[in-house]
Amino acid sequence: MTDRQTRRRGAALESALLTAAWDELMDNGYERLTMEAVAERAQTSRPVIARRWGSRQELFTAAVLHWIDHNGPPVPDTGTLRGDLLASLASKSERRAEIRAVFGARFGGLAEENQDLAQQLRQRIYQALGTEEIWDRAAARGEVDPAALTPRIRDLPLDLVSLELTQTHEALPLSVIEEILDTIVLPLVAPRD
């Protein structure tokens, strides 16, 4: 085969670069992430990467978002708000415990370097988790008071699960998630008579 036949272009090249960046992050962490290391792993040159991402933070952000977009679990549809949130949060708890360990060990330097970027990535992760779709379906079914669905309330279930994960560093028992839903979240959004 000639070089022309094996050359990656467009989406295939970008995916290969972002996969290489993610693998580099997993192996060496954010602090040691360099465009040179990613270029070597992707079997390309630094200028190929620099044309797409002008800094280490840009490359990091693109790699994380690429990973999120290609590894998000399906949004559950059980037919009820409680069922959807319970299934979603149980899945998220398991995955977040795993992701939190990875992110804490591998990406700790980012928050020190750029708190705004760390916060933007957190919001993007929340969006990828599909809770907006769950809330919107529940509102369409009449299970919630639409006026109660402020952005903070929509984030509340995942925020509470995340807080528990921060304290335990382990996936939460189903009973803890049920308690969060039944005693805190669902009463706040119940339709008014």
Side-chain angles (χ1 to χ4, degrees):
M1 260 193 233
T2 66
D3 187 40
R4 174 162 278 173
Q5 290 172 315
T6 61
R7 179 177 264 170
R8 298 166 294 184
R9 296 188 193 293
L13 174 60
E14 186 162 311
S15 181
L17 295 173
L18 293 173
T19 298
W22 178 260
D23 291 345
E24 188 65 27
L25 284 163
M26 290 300 97
D27 288 346
N28 298 308
Y30 176 75
E31 292 78 10
R32 291 195 216 142
L33 177 69
T34 65
M35 290 189 182
E36 291 80 7
V38 173
E40 183 177 329
R41 189 178 286 257
Q43 298 179 338
T44 191
S45 65
R46 186 187 189 289
V48 169
I49 296 171
R51 278 194 297 269
R52 289 162 177 77
W53 303 285
S55 70
R56 177 171 79 145
Q57 284 184 2
E58 288 177 19
L59 177 59
F60 166 82
T61 302
V64 170
L65 294 178
H66 180 76
W67 184 86
I68 290 167
D69 289 343
H70 291 85
N71 292 283
V75 179
D77 189 358
T78 66
T80 67
L81 173 61
R82 186 183 189 279
D84 289 352
L85 286 175
L86 186 60
S88 178
L89 292 171
S91 171
K92 269 67 170 182
S93 170
E94 206 167 288
R95 289 199 76 193
R96 294 265 318 224
E98 178 183 319
I99 291 169
R100 184 175 290 282
V102 169
F103 272 59
R106 297 293 180 214
F107 309 149
L110 174 68
E112 294 173 17
E113 200 173 284
N114 189 331
Q115 190 66 273
D116 290 339
L117 178 57
Q119 180 61 26
Q120 289 170 8
L121 285 175
R122 177 181 174 271
Q123 279 306 115
R124 180 61 181 82
I125 291 168
Y126 272 34
Q127 290 169 358
L129 294 175
T131 53
E132 290 298 316
E133 184 178 335
I134 290 172
W135 286 118
D136 292 344
R137 283 194 315 241
R141 289 190 301 255
E143 290 184 89
V144 299
D145 174 8
L149 292 181
T150 65
R152 188 173 304 277
I153 294 294
R154 285 174 179 258
D155 288 347
L156 183 61
L158 194 54
D159 285 344
L160 293 173
V161 166
S162 295
L163 180 61
E164 290 282 336
L165 285 169
T166 300
Q167 295 170 352
T168 65
H169 303 288
E170 295 178 357
L172 303 182
L174 204 53
S175 61
V176 171
I177 298 171
E178 289 175 323
E179 182 182 8
I180 287 170
L181 291 176
D182 295 337
T183 64
I184 301 170
V185 177
L186 296 176
L188 287 174
V189 298
R192 307 285 182 228
D193 292 331

